[in-house]
Amino acid sequence: MKQDNLKDLFSRITPEEGRDRDFMDTLKSKLDSVEEIRLQNLQAIENLRRYNALIHRNSRRAVVVAIIIGFASGILCSLLMPAIGRLFSFVTLPPVYIHVLSWGFVALIAVAMSLNTYSFFISSLSVNKGLNKEHIFY
C-alpha cells in the first residue's frame, strides 16, 4: 500500500528535461534532511527511555529507604509508648482513648518520617545524578 502511494507520488512529478540533475540534487538533499531529523528523533526517544529507566530505578530505591525508615521510626516510637502516653495524660479521657491517641501519634510520626525520607531521597538522587530534562533532547 505504501509502496503504491510512493510510486504514485513520484510518477506525478515530471521535471523539465534540462533540470534533471538539479531535481535529483534537490530531492536527495530533502531526503537527507528527513533522514537527519528521523535520526535526531530516535536519539531523543532513546535518551528519554534512559531517563525514565533511571527515574524508575531511583523511585524504587527511595521507596525501599522510606519503608525502612518508616518501619524503624514506628518501632522506636512503639518503644517510647509509655512516654508518649504520658504526653496525653493531661486529657481527661478514659485510658482506652488515650491509648488510641498515642498509637495515632506513633502512626503519624512514622508516616511523616517515611514521606519526608522519600522526598529527600528523590531530590538528592535527582541532584546528584544530574537528572535534568534539558539534557534529554538534542
Side-chain angles (χ1 to χ4, degrees):
M1 185 72 177
K2 281 186 174 184
Q3 191 69 16
D4 294 334
N5 290 340
L6 285 175
K7 284 181 184 178
D8 186 40
L9 176 69
F10 284 110
S11 68
R12 284 188 263 151
I13 298 174
T14 54
E16 296 177 12
E17 299 244 347
R19 308 186 95 199
D20 286 345
R21 185 73 172 152
D22 292 339
F23 170 76
M24 288 306 292
D25 290 341
T26 305
L27 181 63
K28 184 174 178 0
S29 69
K30 287 183 180 180
L31 287 176
D32 288 343
S33 298
V34 168
E35 182 66 17
E36 184 179 328
I37 291 171
R38 186 185 73 80
L39 290 175
Q40 287 176 349
N41 287 338
L42 287 175
Q43 181 65 36
I45 289 170
E46 183 60 32
N47 289 344
L48 191 59
R49 281 188 189 139
R50 274 190 251 125
Y51 176 80
N52 285 339
L54 186 61
I55 290 292
H56 187 66
R57 189 171 46 250
N58 288 344
S59 293
R60 284 187 299 201
R61 289 177 186 161
V63 166
V64 168
V65 170
I67 287 171
I68 291 170
I69 294 296
F71 186 72
S73 65
I75 288 175
L76 181 66
C77 287
S78 296
L79 293 174
L80 296 173
M81 188 57 97
I84 293 173
R86 277 187 242 119
L87 287 175
F88 296 107
S89 63
F90 67 91
V91 180
T92 56
L93 291 173
V96 173
Y97 293 131
I98 291 175
H99 205 63
V100 168
L101 279 174
S102 300
W103 279 109
F105 188 69
V106 167
L108 182 68
I109 290 173
V111 167
M113 290 290 290
S114 292
L115 290 175
N116 286 330
T117 302
Y118 179 79
S119 63
F120 176 75
F121 198 76
I122 284 291
S123 66
S124 68
L125 282 177
S126 297
V127 170
N128 291 338
K129 296 287 185 181
L131 298 180
N132 197 352
K133 286 186 180 180
E134 287 84 34
H135 294 96
I136 294 175
F137 301 105
Y138 307 117

